[in-house]
Amino acid sequence: MRSGRWAVLAVAAGLTLFPGLATAAAAAGPATAPATAPAAAAAAPAAPGETTAKLAGGALPDQQDLAGAFVPSGPTRLLDTRDGTGTGGDVRPVGQSPLLLDVSDVSGNPSVRPTAVVLNVTVTNPTGDSYLAVYAPGGVRPTTSNLNFSPGQTVPNQVTVPVGSDGRVAFFNHVGTTDVIADLAGYFTLDKAASTFVANGPTRLLDTRDGTGTGGVKAQVGENASIGLQVSGVAGVPARNVTAVVLNVTVTAPTAESFVSVYPSGSAVPSASNLNFSAGQTVPNLVTVPVGADGKVAFYNHVGSTDVVADLAGYYVSGEPRTGGVFRTLGTPKRLLDTRDGTGTGGVTAQVGDNASIGLQVAGVSEVPSRSVTAVVLNVTVTEPTAESFVSVYPSGRNVPSASNLNFSPGQTVPNLVTVPVGADGKVAFYNHVGSTDIVADVFGYFSAGDRLGLSALSFSQPTVDASTGTAAVTVTWTVTASDPDARQNGGTIVIRQQGDAPDTYVGQSRVVPFLQGSSGYGAAFVSGNAASATYSYRFAVPRYAGAATAKWAVSLVTVHEIQTQQRQVLAGSALGGFGNVLTATSQVSTTTALQPTVSTVYTGRPAYVFTGDNAYVRYDIGIQEQQSGFWKGTLQLAGPGGAMLTGSFENSTYNGQLYSTCQHDATYPTCYVLVLIPSTAPAGTWSVSAVTLTNNAGQSKSFRGLNAPLITVTSNGTVQAGGFTATPNELNTWTGPAAFKVSMNVWGAHGGVRSIQLFWTGPCGASSTIPTREPDGSYSVPAALGQSNNGSPSGCALTGAAVTDGAGNVALYGSDFSAPGIGVQVRGVANTTPPTVTSAALNVTSIPQSQAFNRSFVVYAQVIAPVAPVNGYWCYLYDSTGKVVGRNFSGTTVGPDGKAMLFVPVPYGIAVGTYTVGFEVSDASWLSTGYGTPGGQPVPGGPLTLEITEG
């Protein structure tokens, strides 16, 4: 394959940092410390020293919450901080810097990208009472938690988490350190045909204590032993096409410290574990597990023996009819229930009592639709229970089930993920068996029904087209249906992509086309019909260039939603195979050479420094030229000290005919940006752009090296450090102009002295020099100035960034500008509370003939005292004998060396003969003023100022 024509026009780099922002607060209860599954082999991690961010990008631009359908996978270990799995070989527990895990390639197919992943997350060896939050990075850290734990505990919990735009998920530990293990149970996607969820339960399928699910055999699961459980064709689960089941699994009465793994029957026992426990404990956990070919799942116990209980929460089903729901995520988890503060209870703050239930409205609350919600995904936590008990979560309106979701002892705090059907009234219920307990519930997502929606037709207007001599246009037409009589308006999205050589693989940018019933300006054209059956069309411009002489274009995805009933349906990949969704095009093969790139850089307001105390992203802006097939995707690679490598990815897509997301303009001349993660483990020193690799829409790639790209400096403040920042003085009178001060700090660990100190401010401050002065006490200082106060308010500024460089070039960073340790220095102007006063005032002319008044200036000389802010303006009034204003004037003024201000008196042309009085008001730069001789003002010092206009 010959290379495509490329030109990197510019690479402009600016730093954009995304630290974790919000924190959560949840108690952790005491418990004994059970064992965890041993560190085990996993999917091959990145090479040591290399962190690669691949594209996720699975979400649709107009439906960011639509995660789609589910692909069971695993259990497979993705992360284990004890042995470096998932961390590029870095072995260390998680502290307060979030750990970012790349999950972008969990499908094993670059064309199938996850929108959300289902993980069994386990914390082990924690050092403090803490909690773990798992979330999509790039936004605000949620205020909710997924796991709560005490020192020494091992706690598992299933987590369903959206995938960030860079293909990662984040793990944040609140206090101390803890090892974290994450095992993949599956992922949601919009890129291939997958399974939808049917909520069914809770129903008990297995209980080794009474022989349920074991053919009547009452026996614990022994050491290094497995038992199978039939799930297909049982308790309402279909006998065919069931790909996975969701079970709440509980171990009870174990004889030893051990773990249990749940896995597809017929597969080897995995290295991943689902439940970890000590002797005598009762531990529940939600488990999503693929179903074996024989319709069974298996339960493996490692050491000793234990009873196992499994309650069905639902199942995933593939194929037709599409009876299940598609998954939709929330932007951030939302707290729906907290009995401690009355959230979700109408303000009632009370624990759930003995043998009692409470209801919780979920439909129509916190981004959850009011209709067509089949189930919600909740992280439920019990805290401060008064007795050994259990909590069951079930659909409102049904009897309390025999199944339980959480089991606990007095004083414990226990979380568990719960997937629960929603009752007909839009509620779910929480039942507590014994004693009383507080309950907290956070919603992470929900399943939307789509069984009343369908696609009845989809086809291109012709099966083949010749696009080799220029762009050809072919119309694609489709019809969507809604069988619910309440349906009022439907809409959705289609995606068109070039097919690859293997199923579910694609080449080149995707064309995302929205459609809406009744609208022809919304991407696709509405042709005819109503909500029950609506037909749409789209004129697809078939590209001229491809990687081969023949290219196949397919409608790879159709999503449908109905506005009134709020149903959703997703059809992707092979689910569209029964329609005429494929167009075969004769293409011209892309065969050109690359152009030499040029590189430039722009930084906004501060140098290219990155602090690695927390994860940070560096943004590079890239201008690209590809004159034939157009740009598709690319990577930018950074090289750092010791051979460390970091990579960021970016991609071109179109929405409604326009580029969106990371690229703008058009496919042949796009301007794109790429975010490269600088993890907290990145080595300190200088990093450079080592390569930019660009792939065109024909699938042809070319790498560029030797680019004159900007360097960045990474530091962890591990060598030179600073502290004790102060500003002297920190309060200044700036009403007359800027005022000087100095910023001082202590510096230690410097090699070869301190070369420079750069300061960055929010507000009107600036440093006049970066060269520090060594003070007698050993500290270092640099001069700075606070700008003049204006607009009636004192000026002020905050020191938001400081970069200290020693003689050897080592850098230490501080302040929010670098997402680095805080500085805490503010400088402010003196506030003025004393208005100006006048001690004497005299009028230059007190009597004048009427004929001469027009040619004379009349001035009040006012002796002014303004101790803080200078006088800079005045109002002057001329009153007749009745008190009526016959002249007024507003102007600026200054006070002379003698302390006097000149106030010009407005004498109108043709003024009548008579006696007039002058009043005035002086104001200062802080907008304080004092009136004299005016209504409501003070008397003029020395008596009224009068002007006599005489005849003549």
Side-chain angles (χ1 to χ4, degrees):
M1 181 177 290
R2 283 173 267 183
S3 62
R5 176 179 296 169
W6 293 105
V8 178
L9 299 180
V11 178
L15 297 179
T16 305
L17 307 182
F18 298 98
L21 300 178
T23 59
T32 55
T36 182
E50 180 174 356
T51 300
T52 302
K54 303 176 184 66
L55 290 164
L60 294 170
D62 60 341
Q63 300 178 74
Q64 293 287 330
D65 66 334
L66 183 60
F70 183 70
V71 179
S73 179
T76 304
R77 183 142 297 173
L78 300 183
L79 173 68
D80 193 335
T81 60
R82 301 171 301 176
D83 64 9
T85 298
T87 63
D90 185 54
V91 179
R92 72 174 79 181
V94 180
Q96 280 61 70
S97 177
L99 184 152
L100 302 184
L101 175 67
D102 184 1
V103 296
S104 60
D105 58 358
V106 294
S107 72
N109 177 357
S111 294
V112 178
R113 293 166 293 185
T115 55
V117 289
V118 179
L119 304 173
N120 193 74
V121 179
T122 303
V123 295
T124 190
N125 307 319
T127 61
D129 282 313
S130 186
Y131 63 83
L132 191 77
V134 188
Y135 58 100
V140 176
R141 184 184 303 146
T143 57
T144 56
S145 60
N146 297 93
L147 296 94
N148 302 74
F149 45 89
S150 293
Q153 278 190 304
T154 296
V155 177
N157 196 15
Q158 183 167 291
V159 172
T160 300
V161 56
V163 177
S165 60
D166 64 349
R168 293 184 170 96
V169 295
F171 300 79
F172 170 74
N173 174 44
H174 181 53
V175 173
T177 63
T178 184
D179 281 307
V180 179
I181 303 161
D183 300 316
L184 179 71
Y187 60 92
F188 292 90
T189 186
L190 294 168
D191 292 326
K192 64 176 291 185
S195 302
T196 53
F197 181 72
V198 178
N200 183 4
T203 304
R204 182 143 296 173
L205 299 186
L206 173 68
D207 192 335
T208 59
R209 298 171 299 181
D210 62 13
T212 299
T214 63
V217 177
K218 303 176 183 179
Q220 290 191 323
V221 183
E223 182 165 319
N224 195 30
S226 294
I227 63 169
L229 173 67
Q230 183 71 37
V231 291
S232 294
V234 175
V237 179
R240 299 178 58 188
N241 296 332
V242 175
T243 60
V245 289
V246 180
L247 304 172
N248 195 73
V249 180
T250 304
V251 295
T252 188
T255 62
E257 187 173 301
S258 182
F259 64 85
V260 160
S261 299
V262 190
Y263 59 101
S265 175
S267 301
V269 176
S271 58
S273 63
N274 296 95
L275 297 99
N276 302 77
F277 46 88
S278 293
Q281 273 194 309
T282 296
V283 176
N285 195 19
L286 193 70
V287 174
T288 301
V289 56
V291 176
D294 58 358
K296 295 181 179 181
V297 298
F299 301 78
Y300 167 79
N301 175 49
H302 181 52
V303 176
S305 63
T306 184
D307 281 307
V308 179
V309 181
D311 301 315
L312 178 70
Y315 57 89
Y316 288 94
V317 62
S318 63
E320 298 292 341
R322 302 183 66 81
T323 56
V326 295
F327 186 58
R328 300 171 70 182
T329 63
L330 301 186
T332 57
K334 303 295 191 301
R335 182 145 293 176
L336 298 186
L337 174 67
D338 192 336
T339 59
R340 300 170 299 181
D341 63 13
T343 299
T345 64
V348 176
T349 55
Q351 290 191 323
V352 182
D354 192 312
N355 193 33
S357 293
I358 62 169
L360 174 68
Q361 184 71 39
V362 293
V365 178
S366 292
E367 301 178 30
V368 179
S370 58
R371 299 182 63 174
S372 298
V373 177
T374 60
V376 288
V377 178
L378 304 173
N379 199 71
V380 180
T381 304
V382 296
T383 188
E384 299 180 8
T386 61
E388 187 169 317
S389 182
F390 65 83
V391 161
S392 298
V393 189
Y394 59 100
S396 175
R398 298 188 189 176
N399 294 330
V400 176
S402 59
S404 62
N405 296 95
L406 298 98
N407 301 76
F408 44 90
S409 297
Q412 275 192 306
T413 294
V414 176
N416 198 18
L417 195 70
V418 175
T419 300
V420 56
V422 177
D425 57 357
K427 295 181 179 181
V428 298
F430 300 79
Y431 167 80
N432 175 50
H433 181 50
V434 176
S436 62
T437 185
D438 280 307
I439 300 179
V440 180
D442 304 314
V443 61
F444 283 73
Y446 56 93
F447 291 91
S448 285
D451 57 309
R452 308 297 293 272
L453 299 177
L455 180 70
S456 63
L458 168 66
S459 64
F460 286 95
S461 59
Q462 59 195 70
T464 61
V465 67
D466 186 350
S468 61
T469 59
T471 300
V474 177
T475 299
V476 58
T477 304
W478 64 99
T479 301
V480 298
T481 60
S483 60
D484 193 315
D486 289 340
R488 294 292 179 269
Q489 185 182 35
N490 61 48
T493 301
I494 68 166
V495 176
I496 302 175
R497 300 192 70 179
Q498 182 184 341
Q499 288 184 329
D501 295 332
D504 295 319
T505 62
Y506 301 97
V507 177
Q509 68 188 68
S510 58
R511 275 78 170 173
V512 182
V513 183
F515 61 89
L516 181 67
Q517 179 189 330
S519 172
S520 293
Y522 192 65
F526 172 68
V527 177
S528 63
N530 52 34
S533 179
T535 299
Y536 303 87
S537 68
Y538 175 71
R539 192 76 167 161
F540 172 50
V542 184
R544 176 181 183 182
Y545 294 96
T550 300
K552 290 188 175 183
W553 295 88
V555 176
S556 63
L557 172 68
V558 177
T559 73
V560 185
H561 62 264
E562 203 287 312
I563 307 300
Q564 181 70 20
T565 63
Q566 298 179 319
Q567 286 218 336
R568 297 260 174 170
Q569 185 60 274
V570 173
L571 298 167
S574 61
L576 297 168
F579 299 96
N581 67 313
V582 178
L583 171 70
T584 301
T586 301
S587 307
Q588 183 172 335
V589 178
S590 174
T591 56
T592 51
T593 58
L595 301 178
Q596 176 65 34
T598 59
V599 180
S600 63
T601 179
V602 176
Y603 289 100
T604 55
R606 63 175 181 80
Y609 295 151
V610 179
F611 176 69
T612 60
D614 205 342
N615 302 295
Y617 287 90
V618 181
R619 171 170 167 160
Y620 290 86
D621 294 321
I622 304 176
I624 301 167
Q625 177 182 339
E626 209 295 330
Q627 297 176 349
Q628 285 195 348
S629 65
F631 171 69
W632 173 23
K633 64 180 180 179
T635 61
L636 183 145
Q637 187 177 70
L638 294 179
M645 306 295 291
L646 299 170
T647 302
S649 301
F650 53 105
E651 183 172 351
N652 199 2
S653 294
T654 64
Y655 174 72
N656 201 10
Q658 301 293 322
L659 299 192
Y660 77 94
S661 186
T662 59
C663 296
Q664 300 296 325
H665 305 309
D666 61 59
T668 54
Y669 293 91
T671 300
C672 305
Y673 72 85
V674 55
L675 298 177
V676 183
L677 171 68
I678 311 295
S680 59
T681 55
T686 301
W687 290 73
S688 62
V689 175
S690 61
V692 173
T693 300
L694 304 175
T695 303
N696 64 16
N697 282 311
Q700 301 162 331
S701 299
K702 185 172 180 63
S703 294
F704 300 94
R705 299 182 184 275
L707 303 174
N708 186 26
L711 304 178
I712 63 171
T713 300
V714 172
T715 181
S716 62
N717 295 358
T719 303
V720 61
Q721 299 177 357
F725 293 88
T726 59
T728 308
N730 63 2
E731 189 172 67
L732 305 160
N733 189 335
T734 54
W735 291 109
T736 59
F741 63 96
K742 68 179 180 180
V743 175
S744 303
M745 67 202 71
N746 298 314
V747 180
W748 57 93
H751 294 217
V754 178
R755 180 196 304 169
S756 69
I757 298 176
Q758 297 168 277
L759 303 179
F760 307 91
W761 304 88
T762 298
C765 279
S768 57
S769 174
T770 62
I771 300 174
T773 298
R774 185 73 180 267
E775 301 290 346
D777 63 358
S779 65
Y780 290 84
S781 68
V782 286
L786 173 63
Q788 182 173 356
S789 298
N790 53 40
N791 294 325
S793 299
S795 57
C797 61
L799 183 58
T800 52
V804 180
T805 305
D806 70 8
N810 299 305
V811 177
L813 300 175
Y814 296 90
S816 59
D817 279 3
F818 300 102
S819 295
I823 297 173
V825 168
Q826 292 185 334
V827 180
R828 64 179 184 272
V830 174
N832 184 25
T833 60
T834 305
T837 57
V838 172
T839 59
S840 65
L843 187 60
N844 68 331
V845 176
T846 58
S847 179
I848 190 170
Q850 183 185 34
S851 62
Q852 300 178 22
F854 179 69
N855 296 318
R856 187 65 187 267
S857 294
F858 300 88
V859 180
V860 174
Y861 291 92
Q863 189 74 38
V864 176
I865 297 177
V868 179
V871 167
N872 61 1
Y874 70 91
W875 280 95
C876 198
Y877 304 91
L878 187 65
Y879 302 97
D880 65 13
S881 58
T882 67
K884 179 182 177 181
V885 176
V886 295
R888 72 181 70 204
N889 180 42
F890 170 73
S891 183
T893 189
T894 58
V895 177
D898 58 357
K900 290 183 178 179
M902 297 175 61
L903 316 178
F904 289 89
V905 180
V907 177
Y909 176 76
I911 187 172
V913 173
T915 301
Y916 297 85
T917 304
V918 176
F920 58 87
E921 181 180 308
V922 291
S923 59
D924 63 19
S926 69
W927 294 358
L928 296 180
S929 60
T930 306
Y932 295 89
T934 59
Q938 299 183 27
V940 176
L945 300 176
T946 58
L947 173 62
E948 190 76 26
I949 303 297
T950 61
E951 293 183 358

